[in-house]
Amino acid sequence: MDSYGLSTQLSMETLHGSLNDPAISSMNLLNELIDEYPVAISMAAGRPYEEFFDIRLIHEYLDAYCEHLRRDRKLDEAGVTRTLFQYGTTKGVIADLVARNLAEDEGIKAAPESVVVTVGAQEAMFLVLRTLRAAEHDVLLAPAPTYVGLTGAALLTDTPVWPVRSTENGIDPDDLVLQLKRADEQGKRVRACYVTPNFANPTGTSMDLPARHRLLEVAEANGILLLEDNAYGLFGAERLPTLKALDRSGTVVYIGSFAKTGMPGARVGYAVADQQVAGGGLLADQLSKLKGMLTVNTSPIAQAVIAGKLLLNDFSLTKANAREIAVYQRNLRLMLGELERRLGGRAGVRWNTPTGGFFVTVTVPFTVDDDLLAVAARDHGVLFTPMHHFYGGKGGFNQLRLSISLLTPELIEEGVSRLAALITARL
Amino acid sequence: MDSYGLSTQLSMETLHGSLNDPAISSMNLLNELIDEYPVAISMAAGRPYEEFFDIRLIHEYLDAYCEHLRRDRKLDEAGVTRTLFQYGTTKGVIADLVARNLAEDEGIKAAPESVVVTVGAQEAMFLVLRTLRAAEHDVLLAPAPTYVGLTGAALLTDTPVWPVRSTENGIDPDDLVLQLKRADEQGKRVRACYVTPNFANPTGTSMDLPARHRLLEVAEANGILLLEDNAYGLFGAERLPTLKALDRSGTVVYIGSFAKTGMPGARVGYAVADQQVAGGGLLADQLSKLKGMLTVNTSPIAQAVIAGKLLLNDFSLTKANAREIAVYQRNLRLMLGELERRLGGRAGVRWNTPTGGFFVTVTVPFTVDDDLLAVAARDHGVLFTPMHHFYGGKGGFNQLRLSISLLTPELIEEGVSRLAALITARL
């Protein structure tokens, strides 16, 4: 033993496997590559639109929440101050307001005690997977391609993710049945299937109403939970009921995010987990126990900001986001129009036509990898996300994801023009 | 298969083992018991003192941070607003300000890139343990008794915790050597040893300077990391250097908390991890990769609140907490005085005499369990924490923890009087 043993012992090989996973490493490299070209037009970033951000809103939202505590909760000033300054309950101080928002915007009846307010939807995903992943043979099903945050939460909990085929109508229920059968044959226990029925990240696709019913039937019949992620549902021309709104049997754990509808900088999301656990109350109670060991509670100040936005908008984020919804709808329409104008009729080039959300998938007849992205950034001044990053590097090599959320009409026109130049040069 | 299969399948036995761990279950039961007696004098809660909380401070801190972004970072209004509203960098937007605070208050030279801002110290502990726990044979060492949050983070990462003997001078370096040898014999890989050299939770004990040097030597010689938790260091009559300030070999990963010195409701903490990882940059970079999969980033709004407090106090939390430090010192002195007055000279009753922090350990010649606590609450109107909760139920059955942080002089006098009645009735 020598006193320098330590520095030589800390090597990537001795750290947790998730840190060496190709999906995560490649996503990090991708982000570094994108950061290298700050002046390129970015159709890569999925961050929300910024025009309506206003620092004064933070103060107004905080004031509105304090006023709610005084008026509706009858707290004195010490109580109001304590609520924001002190540690709060693990499930969150605004669980009841979140439940009212769900009733207002989604027709979801959630008892406040089934809501766990989390540090973004990401923590909610981790908590659900950590709760459910109890043994080596536990696996999670998820569509391929899938949201990279789901992949991350699965890696942190050592949960294998088995891909399920995904179409323009969302996850394929027949392939789901097939994968369940396969899992059973291999002695695996499927704990849940992750789905994003509304304007999924990365594909932009949604499920129609019959597909939602069919998916619920398959999940119920096989006794697996559905983990429904609804980060983009508000931003559509038409609104279909969420799986959770259709759920009558406790099949759906609902993951909510305020990052796109509230404020990303608050980092507030939540899970609705109203399932009964034999010997353990609600599933939400178990998530809360784990949260106590992970982040103790979500910042009450951050929660207060989101609560204030809800309170000042009659609990409707549809109302609060009227301008943003119009921008995203306009951008999506413009993006699809520009794609048609610049690339319509080109052999082998096609794209899907989402009716909402942030993303469009473009398919091309050549390989789309990070090398191509580097060329696009350097030679054409345009950025996108190679779709293979959402397949864990196991597919999608002729697809790319375009995001419309941060763009202006001018940037969409110029961005698609540059993208078209890159693509047509390769046809 | 039937459509009700699901609800019967969700049972405690099928969920992650951490949820069934006796240490966590008993802590939950303890908190429920305490909640049942809201009118009892609580010497159980370790929450910070509330008299100086003021809701206006939140607005002032936010304004101060925005002004810093304008003045020192030269951001325009869009840039200021984006910093608070939008997703931020995973390592945190205030890492540089945290580094300045560490230089000011602790004499720790931390490069900002080695700092990862987290959702409280709790997330930092999880990230470090998740990073280091890579294989079945990995274990963590920690003093017995130990902070329950450490136990929680270890459970979430399936990390076995091996106890190391702890004395009134902190962790026993000789027993540490013994445990390292034992681990080696059993084919275990010790990844780190958790320590709280300043006013530990739950015991209140601190390490003297020679003990700190000796601990660093043992850790260096054996190539193990020390995970230093310093949540209470500010609240002492005398200030000894942290292990991190003494560390010359990258042995110490420092876990910081702003819960007691900044504001609990911000839920902001951090790790300083300046160790080089072969093939992976700084250990902080690896923690940051995991954080991206766990909570994405710490709320910039919450970070801004803490930053504002730092900015308005010349980066010194010692200065910012002058009044709180005086209160905690007064309360500690009063508590020790009242214990002496009410219980001095009683056979078998003794207590330690911490010079700072929130906690005092009382030893009695009879069993202290949750049944006794229930009697104390119901018949005497006083609450404390049975120490066995910090031993994972494997020791401490004749000790209790008293917290001084939330009390007034009147409550201390009356609380100790009630406690003395309980104790003397059992001698």
Side-chain angles (χ1 to χ4, degrees), chain A residues 14 85 87 122 191 265 293, chain B residues 14 85 122 191 260 265 293:
Chain A
T14 67
F85 268 65
Y87 294 98
Q122 189 62 35
R191 298 311 306 261
M293 306 184 228
Chain B
T14 67
F85 269 66
Q122 190 62 35
R191 298 312 307 260
K260 277 77 187 180
M293 304 184 230

Side-chain angles (χ1 to χ4, degrees), chain A residues 6 9-16, chain B residues 128-129 131-135 137-141 159 180 188-194 223-227 251 253 283:
Chain A
L6 176 68
Q9 279 178 21
L10 271 185
S11 64
M12 289 306 291
E13 296 74 39
T14 67
L15 303 184
H16 187 249
Chain B
V128 173
L129 297 195
T131 300
L132 294 176
R133 204 286 193 184
H137 64 277
D138 287 337
V139 299
L140 177 77
L141 301 182
T159 308
L180 287 168
K188 302 293 183 187
R189 179 169 66 171
V190 175
R191 298 312 307 260
C193 178
Y194 171 83
I224 59 157
L225 290 172
L226 294 174
L227 187 50
T251 296
V253 175
L283 181 57

Side-chain angles (χ1 to χ4, degrees), chain B residues 265-297:
Chain B
R267 298 300 306 130
V268 177
Y270 58 93
V272 181
D274 51 11
Q275 288 72 17
Q276 288 290 335
V277 176
L282 294 173
L283 181 57
D285 297 323
Q286 301 303 320
L287 300 181
S288 173
K289 273 167 71 178
L290 291 194
K291 181 173 169 62
M293 304 184 230
L294 189 68
T295 58
V296 185
N297 57 270

Side-chain angles (χ1 to χ4, degrees), chain B residues 144-165:
Chain B
T146 203
Y147 173 50
V148 70
L150 188 273
T151 308
L155 285 169
L156 281 183
T157 55
D158 304 308
T159 308
V161 180
W162 283 24
V164 182
R165 208 172 82 88

